[in-house]
Amino acid sequence: MRILLVEDEAFLAEAVRDHLLASGNAVDQTDSIVEAEIMMRGTPYDVLLLDLNLPDGKGIDLLRGLRRNRSTTPCIILTAQDQISDRIEGLNAGADDYLVKPFDLNELSARLLAVARRYSGNPNPLMTLPGGVEVDLGNRTILLNGKQIDLTSREWALFDQMLRRPGATLSKAQLEEALYEFGAEIESNTVEVYISRLRRKLGKDLIKTVRGVGYRVEV
């Protein structure tokens, strides 16, 4: 997933970022509402992780502005404010979930996956694909004919992007978004390299090339 983390507590932000990167996600990070607005205008994010109290304003105002502009990017609020009234305000502003600090990083991952699945129209974390491939999105495990297959974090990131839209053809640009952080340089053949690696591990027929358009996972 491509995730935008808006958090001003440096220690927490670093811990969340490192955890999500290790899980195969692409993470952009800022502690500024203004920067977050700029980043979201130029980059399609799968999930927004949003603190409520930021140096240049309130995260809830950023969220309200996004929803007024009809942004459908899923949002999970991260905050130390644990009053019921605060949670209700956040949910009414358009948040999809709410985590009170301190929280377990594995719980954060589970909630991220749950929110992303709801938005992709695939609420089931278990998938059976052609060629004997079984995927558990919740635990990020893959079995090929009963044998566990290990993927690198970037291989997971690319595969996850396609699994959340099974049967849909994704362009090279869409897949690149899953691999790179905001402003990073992109090698021209990176997607092709990782598609080739996935085919070697999972079978050459699982990922189809749609010439001139992109790639899709067969279902």
Side-chain angles (χ1 to χ4, degrees):
M1 284 185 286
R2 186 76 181 268
I3 298 167
L4 177 58
L5 171 61
V6 187
E7 170 62 62
D8 69 329
E9 293 183 34
F11 180 80
L12 175 61
E14 182 178 356
V16 169
R17 177 187 172 91
D18 290 349
H19 177 77
L20 295 176
L21 288 173
S23 300
N25 300 288
V27 183
D28 296 330
Q29 178 186 341
T30 182
D31 62 359
S32 164
I33 289 176
V34 172
E35 287 186 359
E37 290 173 335
I38 293 171
M39 295 164 82
M40 293 192 74
R41 281 199 294 269
T43 305
Y45 289 100
D46 296 301
V47 181
L48 168 66
L49 296 178
L50 179 63
D51 186 18
L52 290 184
N53 294 313
L54 296 161
D56 59 347
K58 293 186 178 296
I60 197 87
D61 293 331
L62 169 62
L63 179 57
R64 287 183 177 129
L66 291 172
R67 296 301 184 243
R68 279 197 302 271
N69 291 326
R70 300 186 178 181
S71 169
T72 59
T73 301
C75 176
I76 298 177
I77 288 176
L78 311 177
T79 182
Q81 300 176 19
D82 61 353
Q83 297 296 316
I84 293 297
S85 59
D86 295 322
R87 299 189 192 193
I88 291 173
E89 183 182 21
L91 294 171
N92 285 340
D96 298 272
D97 207 344
Y98 205 108
L99 271 175
V100 177
K101 304 173 188 177
F103 50 81
D104 183 86
L105 292 174
N106 290 322
E107 181 183 2
L108 171 62
S109 292
R111 291 182 183 239
L112 273 168
L113 289 170
V115 167
R117 287 197 304 269
R118 289 201 300 270
Y119 271 76
S120 68
N122 179 26
N124 187 358
L126 304 176
M127 301 182 67
T128 300
L129 302 173
V133 178
E134 299 174 71
V135 183
D136 184 336
L137 293 171
N139 293 316
R140 289 184 175 268
T141 58
I142 298 177
L143 298 179
L144 176 59
N145 297 320
K147 179 182 178 181
Q148 183 165 324
I149 303 297
D150 295 323
L151 301 184
T152 67
S153 60
R154 280 196 166 185
E155 288 167 355
W156 254 120
L158 194 68
F159 196 42
D160 175 76
Q161 191 79 347
M162 289 186 284
L163 289 178
R164 286 184 289 107
R165 300 169 179 84
T169 300
L170 300 185
S171 68
K172 180 178 175 180
Q174 286 176 299
L175 294 173
E176 286 172 342
E177 290 291 344
L179 295 174
Y180 291 94
E181 299 174 19
F182 186 80
E185 294 185 5
I186 299 174
E187 298 291 337
S188 61
N189 68 335
T190 297
V191 168
E192 288 84 354
V193 168
Y194 283 102
I195 291 290
S196 177
R197 292 180 184 178
L198 288 169
R199 285 171 171 161
R200 285 200 300 269
K201 290 184 176 183
L202 303 176
K204 61 183 179 64
D205 296 324
L206 181 62
I207 300 174
K208 295 294 186 183
T209 300
V210 182
R211 194 169 302 277
V213 181
Y215 302 91
R216 72 168 182 265
V217 168
E218 293 290 73
V219 293

